[in-house]
Structures are given as structure tokens and as C-alpha cells.
Amino acid sequence: SSNRTGSSPLIFILTGIPSLPTSSYWMALPLCCLYLLMLLGNCTLLWMIKTDHSLHTPMYYFLSMLSVADLGLSLSTLPTMLAIFWFESTSLRFEACIVQMYFIHSFSAIESGVLVAMAFDRFIAICYPLRYASVLTSSLIMKAGGAIFMRGICVVLPVAVLIKNMPFCRPRVLSHSFCLHQDMLRLVCGDVRVNSLYGLTAVILTKGLDSLTILLSYMMIIRAILSIVSQEAQAKAFSTCISHLCAVLIFYIPLIGLSIIHRFGKHLPPLTHTLLADAYLLVPPVLNPLVYSWKTKQIRRRILILLCQRG
């Protein structure tokens, strides 16, 4: 085993897609298109919410927070993903790997918290519609947003601190095109019990509690919808939740799949791990703007107005 010395910095080797050459332009071009689509979709959403005063409501404020989290998550992986497939550059210094790992896990925790806030927004809108404006005030939304971002920043910080001084074995080859905590941890030569325990605790305190909170919210939402007599009113109430439900499934399904194969799928081919990790980090930022643009009437109408004006 070895660690960094004064003369030779610690270097990690990133992996592209197993069984494919490192420099693969047919992979680089779709990746560039995905990142451009992500940037265009999320920046357009943020611009529309900022400029259209009819969208200055709690639901769209939370949607803008989701777009910021999606942008941060995607931009955290952008440098190494494109460096591998465009420039065949697979080496990454330890310090840069720590920074990338920190931002990936922080923005992932932030996105999970925003999905909880959006579930609370739908819960109040459907279960207590008359109290919606008095409960979800601008002050509460700002405090909730600040708490969500601070939680994501603070809960991941010990993960980076704990792993910083650990000794790493050779060869230091990671399984993905970016740095993840679980992936770095398997290369440590020393005792990883504290790191592993805190990492598991951080996941439980963020995504574990968040998923349970969202599930509880939707149980109460469904109960409230079923108590409505009119079927038309039931369908209308449920339609306001479809976009958020899609965002939750898009985020949590790859996350749960990745967690399961990291724990129990070591016998699976490396390609499975790679594709699930890429889906977990790339699919939500790309699909969320599309889902909300397609399923939300106000945003769809605003996009049509812009297209007509340009036409």
C-alpha cells in the first residue's frame, strides 16, 4: 500500500465504459448532447420562473431549486466524463477526486431534500387547500431552501474529511468516470469501519428519511384524493402530482438500484455498475425539465408563447 508523498501526488485512474476504448467519439457525442440538453432545459426553466410573475408561487420556487440541484449534479461530473471520452484523459489527482466526490454527494442530498419539500407542497395543496397561501409563505420557502442546501453541504463534509488521510492501495483504479465515496472506499488499505459507518448514516439521514417522508406524504395525499366524491375532481387533484411523482421515480429508482448492486451485486459485470451510476447522475437532470415542461400547463403554455413570438 502507498499514499501521497512530497514528490509524487496521489493519482486515481478513472474508468470509462468497460469493453469500450477510452476515446470513443460515438459515446462522447451523445454525452455532449445530453449535457447540452440538461443545460438548456434547466436554464430555460430557471429563466421562465424568474421572468414570468405568474410562476412566482411555492410550487415553482421549489422547481427552481430542483433545477439548481440538477445543474450542480451534472456539472460535477461534466469535467471528468468529457475528459475521458474526448481527450482520453483518465488520471485525476486525489484532491480533485475528493472535491468531485463532495459536490456529487452534496447535490444529490440537496436534490433529495428538494423532492421532500415539493411533496410537502403537494400535500398542503391537496389536503389543506384553503390554508395553502398562509402555510407556504415566502419566508418559509426561503428558510426551507436554506435548510435543504445547508443539510446537503454539512452532512457530506465529514465524508470528505474522513477519507482524506486514508492510505490507498495500488492499483488505484476507480470503477466509474467520476469519483464516488463507495468506489474510493474499496481502494483504502486501512480500517474503513468509521468511514463506512458514517457514509451509511449520512445516506439514512438524507435519502432514507427523505424517501420515507415522501412515501408518508403520498399516503395522506391518496387518502385525501379518495375522499373526494367527484371523479373529475379526483383526476384533477392527482394530475397535479404526476410531475413530482415522475421526478421522485427518476431520482430514486437508479439510486436504489445502484445501492443494491454496490452491496449485493459484486458478481455482476462491471458494465451494470457503470450504467446504473451514469443513469443515477445523468438521467434526472435531463428528464426533470422535460417532465415538468410536458405535464405542467403553465410552463407548457409559456413555452408555446415563446415559440410563437420567435416564429
Side-chain angles (χ1 to χ4, degrees), residues 61-287:
Y61 288 143
F62 289 131
L63 179 56
S64 65
M65 294 180 199
L66 185 67
S67 291
V68 170
D70 280 337
L71 284 168
L73 193 59
S74 290
L75 293 177
S76 298
T77 63
L78 175 66
T80 53
M81 290 281 281
L82 294 187
I84 288 171
F85 291 105
W86 275 119
F87 305 108
E88 215 169 331
S89 175
T90 59
S91 60
L92 189 67
R93 290 188 61 159
F94 175 71
E95 293 79 8
C97 198
I98 288 284
V99 170
Q100 185 182 53
M101 179 203 73
Y102 174 75
F103 279 110
I104 287 174
H105 290 296
S106 291
F107 279 111
S108 179
I110 289 168
E111 179 154 350
S112 180
V114 173
L115 290 172
V116 172
M118 298 175 84
F120 179 71
D121 169 79
R122 293 299 84 204
F123 167 71
I124 297 296
I126 291 173
C127 298
Y128 303 99
L130 299 179
R131 298 174 58 187
Y132 184 79
S134 61
V135 172
L136 288 172
T137 61
S138 298
S139 174
L140 179 65
I141 293 168
M142 289 179 64
K143 290 176 182 176
I148 289 167
F149 277 83
M150 285 304 297
R151 186 193 70 160
I153 290 168
C154 294
V155 79
V156 181
L157 188 59
V159 172
V161 173
L162 286 169
I163 204 171
K164 190 176 188 303
N165 296 313
M166 298 297 292
F168 288 88
C169 303
R170 292 180 182 274
R172 294 183 285 268
V173 181
L174 297 174
S175 305
H176 306 295
S177 308
F178 35 78
C179 299
L180 294 177
H181 179 248
Q182 308 95 312
D183 202 18
M184 294 179 69
L185 209 58
R186 70 180 179 82
L187 302 180
V188 173
C189 296
D191 187 357
V192 299
R193 283 178 294 181
V194 174
N195 301 64
S196 184
L197 180 62
Y198 182 79
L200 180 61
T201 303
V203 170
I204 291 172
L205 291 176
T206 53
K207 292 151 191 171
L209 287 178
D210 291 348
S211 58
L212 288 176
T213 304
I214 292 170
L215 180 62
L216 180 62
S217 298
Y218 270 98
M219 287 173 64
M220 292 186 285
I221 287 171
I222 291 171
R223 188 177 65 177
I225 290 175
L226 292 177
S227 66
I228 300 173
V229 176
S230 169
Q231 289 188 349
E232 184 179 349
Q234 285 182 349
K236 185 177 179 181
F238 185 72
S239 67
T240 65
C241 301
I242 291 178
S243 298
H244 178 253
L245 274 174
C246 290
V248 169
L249 294 175
I250 288 167
F251 179 78
Y252 277 103
I253 287 177
L255 172 62
I256 293 169
L258 185 62
S259 300
I260 290 173
I261 66 167
H262 264 299
R263 296 285 186 274
F264 309 109
K266 292 180 173 57
H267 62 284
L268 294 174
L271 183 61
T272 306
H273 294 253
T274 301
L275 292 179
L276 262 178
D278 291 348
Y280 163 54
L281 294 176
L282 290 177
V283 170
V286 172
L287 290 188

